[in-house]
Every structure is written in C-alpha cells, then in structure tokens.
Amino acid sequence: MLKEKQKKNEVVEAPAASGKLSRKEFEKELAKLQVELTRLQDWVKDKGARIIVVFEGRDTAGKGGVISRITARTSPRVYRHVALPAPSDREKTQLFMQRYIAHFPAAGEIILFDRSWYNRAGVERVMSFVTDEDYERFIAMVPAVEREMIVNNGIILRKYFLDVSQDEQRRRFEARIKDPVKHWKLSPMDTESVRRWWDYTEAYQRMIKATHTSWAPWYIVPADNKRRARLNLIRHLLDSIPYKKVDVDLPKIPKAQRRPKKATEGLGAGQPIPSHY
C-alpha cells in the first residue's frame, strides 16, 4: 500500500542512509518532497482536512530548520508556523492548553507547532517552572486530550521528536556563538540545556513514555545529520497521510490590453532606491 502511494505521488526513494549526503543531493531530494507538500496542501484545501504537526526535541536539534523547508514553497494560508513566546501574565492564569487550542486548525489548514504544550513536560519540568502536582496532572491528562479533543474530532495529529547527541548539541551551540546571524537563537535558557543534559534526558524519556499512544504516537527523528533528518521527517509526514493529487484549475494568462496613446512607461513619481548590486 505504501509503495503504491509513493509511486502514485511520484516520490522516489531517498539516498541510502550510509555515506555523506551532499548539498546537491539534498536539494534535489528536497525539491521532490516540496512538490508533494504542495499536493498535500491542495488536498487539505479540497477536503477541508485539518492537520496538526508537533515538533519537539532537544535544543539545536533542527526543529526550525525542517519547518522552514516545509513552508518554503507552500502557502502560509495553509501551512501555518506557530512558535509561541513565553506566556504572558494573563496566559499564566489560563488552563495550560488554552493558548495552544486557540491556534488549532480550521478546515483546510496545517498547523506546525514549533514546540507545543509539551513544554510543560520538558523545559518547565527541568527548570522547575511547574509544580509537581501540575506536572503530574499534565502527564495524566495529555493522552485523553489528544484523543478526545484532537484525533476523535477528525484532526490528523503527528508528533515528532528530533534528537541529537550531546557532542553534536555542544558543537551547534558553539557554531551559533560564532555566527552573528544565529545569535537570536541563543538564550541563557537554551544554553542551560547543555549543563542539564541528563536532566532533560530523563524528562524527555518520561514524557515520551507517558504520552506515546496508539492514537498519537511519537516519531523519533535522529538529527545529528541535519540534511537526512529533514528529508526523512518530511518524507515520513507525507507517507503517513492518505492524500491524493488534486487536479488544480490553473488560470490562463490573458492577452494584455492595448497601450493607450498618451500612456508612458514608469510610475512617474516616487524615489528609486540606490542600486548597490
């Protein structure tokens, strides 16, 4: 069944996992997958489907990177990237899931959660931002919420955890410190994950064990190799959803109107920007 679907959607096998994956090979495979992401997009719009994709993982594991590859060639009206900041004072008084539920999809939408309600079982747990009582309540509640509020309501839910090794995480943090365009990714909260590696390991182990269910399983993505992780995750997402290619009624380009006699080229006003390149 899976092979037939792949053949129908014209997604060829990705390169074998052994050996180095060059940038050229990566871009070639990514381009094929991005075509399929647009086909998934058309199907979601046509069927009024609703999809939630949760991206969790260790700091520097590449959550934002894979999301950016998914959204690079797709419509922001369908694929919506949601990365919520720290809760406001008002949001801290709400039900924990409340601010995430506000971003759940309507018909024809795919929501990409760059971190999610699982913050409670990860950073909040490790950094002691949540009481033991609230943490235990969350762990006990989440499977039922995902079943009754999401899956049984017809929303497709996929949960991915991107995992990197301790040495690779340290290397990526060091690379961010050296690269000015990546400084915005650095915060004391993030770098604390280096020191508390084993605390986070224990927290994530319990989180996944307690919330890995038949209706909302966790999919683990080895992410030391960023290129392979991105391709494998996108490929899995596409293969896990029973979408079909939808015929799109493409518009035809009309013949341009005739130029009026007194019409002139250019806008005639405004100030052109300097040409530096």
Side-chain angles (χ1 to χ4, degrees), residues 234-270:
I234 296 171
R235 177 65 178 272
H236 181 274
L237 176 63
L238 290 165
D239 287 346
S240 73
I241 299 173
Y243 72 98
K244 296 181 180 179
K245 184 178 178 181
V246 175
D247 292 329
V248 180
D249 187 14
L250 297 174
K252 295 181 179 180
I253 301 176
K255 184 178 179 180
Q257 65 181 146
R258 295 182 63 180
R259 177 175 174 172
K261 292 182 179 180
K262 296 183 179 180
T264 59
E265 293 289 346
L267 299 176

Side-chain angles (χ1 to χ4, degrees), residues 9-277:
N9 289 333
E10 300 176 3
V11 177
V12 301
E13 287 295 329
S18 60
K20 185 177 180 181
L21 183 66
S22 70
R23 178 174 292 278
K24 183 177 180 180
E25 290 175 313
F26 169 72
E27 295 293 347
K28 179 181 178 182
E29 296 302 320
L30 179 62
K32 297 172 186 177
L33 294 174
Q34 287 175 329
V35 170
E36 290 305 314
L37 288 169
T38 63
R39 291 176 177 171
L40 173 60
Q41 170 180 281
D42 293 336
W43 178 83
V44 166
K45 290 166 58 180
D46 183 66
K47 300 299 182 183
R50 295 170 294 164
I51 300 175
I52 291 176
V53 188
V54 168
F55 296 86
E56 290 288 344
R58 292 185 182 273
D59 289 317
T60 77
K63 297 176 292 296
V66 71
I67 291 173
S68 70
R69 269 61 178 188
I70 291 172
T71 59
R73 304 294 183 182
T74 54
S75 169
R77 296 183 180 89
V78 178
Y79 287 88
R80 290 176 43 213
H81 179 187
V82 177
L84 299 185
S88 65
D89 290 340
R90 179 179 181 275
E91 288 172 332
K92 289 177 182 177
T93 68
Q94 296 176 340
L95 295 174
F96 181 73
M97 288 282 290
Q98 191 169 338
R99 73 187 191 124
Y100 296 100
I101 293 171
H103 295 275
F104 278 14
E109 292 181 344
I110 302 171
I111 306 302
L112 310 174
F113 276 109
D114 187 349
R115 295 203 180 278
S116 65
W117 47 94
Y118 283 102
N119 272 344
R120 174 134 297 184
V123 63
E124 291 192 12
R125 176 61 170 173
V126 173
M127 302 302 293
S128 300
F129 294 155
V130 62
T131 66
D132 290 344
E133 182 182 3
D134 285 342
Y135 168 79
E136 294 297 341
R137 184 183 299 113
F138 171 82
I139 285 293
M141 173 191 71
V142 163
V145 170
E146 291 179 344
R147 181 183 60 206
E148 300 301 330
M149 187 172 290
I150 301 177
V151 177
N152 286 356
N153 266 310
I155 299 175
I156 297 171
L157 174 62
R158 297 291 178 268
K159 302 189 302 188
Y160 293 101
F161 188 93
L162 284 76
D163 196 22
V164 292
S165 65
Q166 191 172 17
D167 289 343
E168 178 63 14
Q169 184 186 65
R170 178 177 290 275
R171 188 195 67 77
R172 291 182 186 182
F173 270 125
E174 291 172 348
R176 287 181 180 183
I177 291 172
K178 296 175 183 177
D179 189 347
V181 302
K182 294 182 178 180
H183 285 175
W184 66 271
K185 294 184 175 184
L186 294 167
S187 73
M189 192 69 66
D190 293 335
T191 53
E192 185 69 5
S193 63
V194 174
R195 188 172 72 87
R196 294 176 177 260
W197 172 270
W198 292 109
D199 289 340
Y200 272 99
T201 298
E202 182 181 3
Y204 289 140
Q205 287 172 344
R206 185 175 181 201
M207 178 189 84
I208 292 171
K209 183 177 181 180
T211 60
H212 176 72
T213 60
S214 60
W215 56 88
W218 277 106
Y219 296 106
I220 311 303
V221 184
D224 273 13
N225 186 310
K226 284 185 178 181
R227 293 173 184 171
R228 293 192 185 281
R230 289 165 181 171
L231 294 178
N232 287 329
L233 192 156
I234 296 171
R235 177 65 178 272
H236 181 274
L237 176 63
L238 290 165
D239 287 346
S240 73
I241 299 173
Y243 72 98
K244 296 181 180 179
K245 184 178 178 181
V246 175
D247 292 329
V248 180
D249 187 14
L250 297 174
K252 295 181 179 180
I253 301 176
K255 184 178 179 180
Q257 65 181 146
R258 295 182 63 180
R259 177 175 174 172
K261 292 182 179 180
K262 296 183 179 180
T264 59
E265 293 289 346
L267 299 176
Q271 181 175 338
I273 64 170
S275 182
H276 291 291
Y277 306 99

